Amino acid sequence: MKNILLPTDFSENAYNAISYALELFKNEATTFYILNTYTPAIPHSRFMATSTEVVEKCAETDSKKGLKNTLIYISLHHKNSKHSYKTISSFDLLTHEVVDIIKNEKIDFVVSGTKGITNFERVFIGANTMRIINAIKECPVLAIPNNYMYRKPKQIVLATDLKRSLGPEALEALLFITKMYNCTVHILHLKVNNILDDFQKSNLKILQNYLQPVTIKLHILPSYANKSEILSRFTKDYNIDTLALVYNNRSYLEDIIKESVLLDADHHTKIPLLVLPS
């Protein structure tokens, strides 16, 4: 039994992410926790406090109505006897609630849209999704781009600098999806130096051994341009379905996000992004 958390703001992107998750786990017995939060306001006067109460009550009503409509949408488009659903409407900050639910409900994956209501085309990852990624360190986050049409994942690229050992905890989610769909995992290392040092070689061997049950292809490319551009070309050339990155304080993820805000939306921003716990 898998437990999947689906944060939603009821945007088109959020509905698309929910649909992706339901399809991805359609053959798994799964409980989906559908979460909507509305942020508390801070009153500055007695009059404001009264007005705030009204606004918050309306927000609560809208939240519960949106969750009800989401369940109706699921029942119409994604009937599955293996799936069960729990809705959560919370008067709290999104990241606080996400962290609590992950801990209390033993969540295996968080699946979120990449952008949300604002949906700016040049944004690599929306603020809410980035907050979730930064707030949790022990649960994988799968971010689904707007308008991405579900297809069975077959080609996954794991981009890594090989500077850290990646053990079972970090790679469990990747291995689960890979085995579920018989995927090929492309290990992509963008080299700065001409050769790998001993520590990188050791980490590569550990990574290959752990992923041994699945098909692995190793790619070591020179870092001739920014990481965002190289990944974009690589995903096109190898028809990649999912980009996987391991979260850490100085990860590819941070570099890519910083680079991508200077670029138009690249191909790799249009495929699912799997952020693995560090």
Side-chain angles (χ1 to χ4, degrees), residues 165-222:
S165 298
L166 301 179
E169 297 82 6
L171 298 170
E172 182 179 0
L174 174 63
L175 196 56
F176 176 80
I177 293 175
T178 300
K179 287 182 176 180
M180 187 164 52
Y181 287 100
N182 192 28
C183 302
T184 296
V185 176
H186 300 262
I187 300 174
L188 175 61
H189 172 66
L190 304 181
K191 64 178 181 179
V192 177
N193 301 316
N194 290 330
I195 59 174
L196 300 179
D197 60 34
D198 291 341
F199 188 61
Q200 287 176 310
K201 290 178 182 178
S202 175
N203 287 338
L204 176 59
K205 185 175 181 180
I206 292 170
L207 178 58
Q208 289 174 314
N209 287 341
Y210 186 71
L211 294 175
Q212 194 60 52
V214 301
T215 302
I216 303 169
K217 294 184 178 181
L218 175 63
H219 309 264
I220 299 179
L221 302 177

Side-chain angles (χ1 to χ4, degrees), residues 10 30 45-47 51 68 126 156 178 189 193 209 242 246 276:
F10 310 127
T30 307
S45 66
R46 185 176 300 176
F47 173 77
S51 300
K68 183 178 179 180
I156 299 177
T178 300
H189 172 66
N193 301 316
N209 287 341
T242 303
V246 179
L276 302 168

Side-chain angles (χ1 to χ4, degrees), residues 49 56 59 64 70 73 83 87 90 96 116 128 130 139 146 155 164 170 182 198 203 205 208 214 229 241 259 266 274:
E56 289 171 355
K64 291 180 177 179
T70 301
Y73 169 83
H83 293 171
T87 59
S90 177
H96 292 175
N128 281 340
M130 199 62 235
C139 184
N146 197 31
Q155 307 289 332
R164 293 166 181 80
N182 192 28
D198 291 341
N203 287 338
K205 185 175 181 180
Q208 289 174 314
V214 301
E229 182 180 345
D241 304 297
E259 292 168 359
D266 281 321
L274 176 62

Side-chain angles (χ1 to χ4, degrees), residues 13 18 26-27 31 34 59 66 78-79 81 86 109 118 134 150 167 175 180 187-189 203 208 211 215 248 268 275:
N13 189 208
I18 289 172
K26 67 181 179 181
N27 295 321
T31 298
I34 307 173
H78 298 280
K79 285 186 178 180
S81 61
K86 296 183 180 180
F109 286 84
T118 54
N134 285 328
Y150 174 81
L175 196 56
M180 187 164 52
I187 300 174
L188 175 61
H189 172 66
N203 287 338
Q208 289 174 314
L211 294 175
T215 302
N248 51 58
H268 67 266
V275 181

Side-chain angles (χ1 to χ4, degrees), residues 32 105-106 179 195-196 255:
F32 292 95
E105 304 299 341
K106 296 180 173 58
K179 287 182 176 180
I195 59 174
L196 300 179
D255 291 341

Side-chain angles (χ1 to χ4, degrees), residues 3-28:
N3 296 318
I4 311 297
L5 177 59
L6 304 173
T8 179
D9 58 6
F10 310 127
S11 65
E12 180 181 347
N13 189 208
Y15 269 103
N16 190 56
I18 289 172
S19 293
Y20 183 94
L22 297 178
E23 287 295 324
L24 184 67
F25 295 97
K26 67 181 179 181
N27 295 321
E28 295 292 320

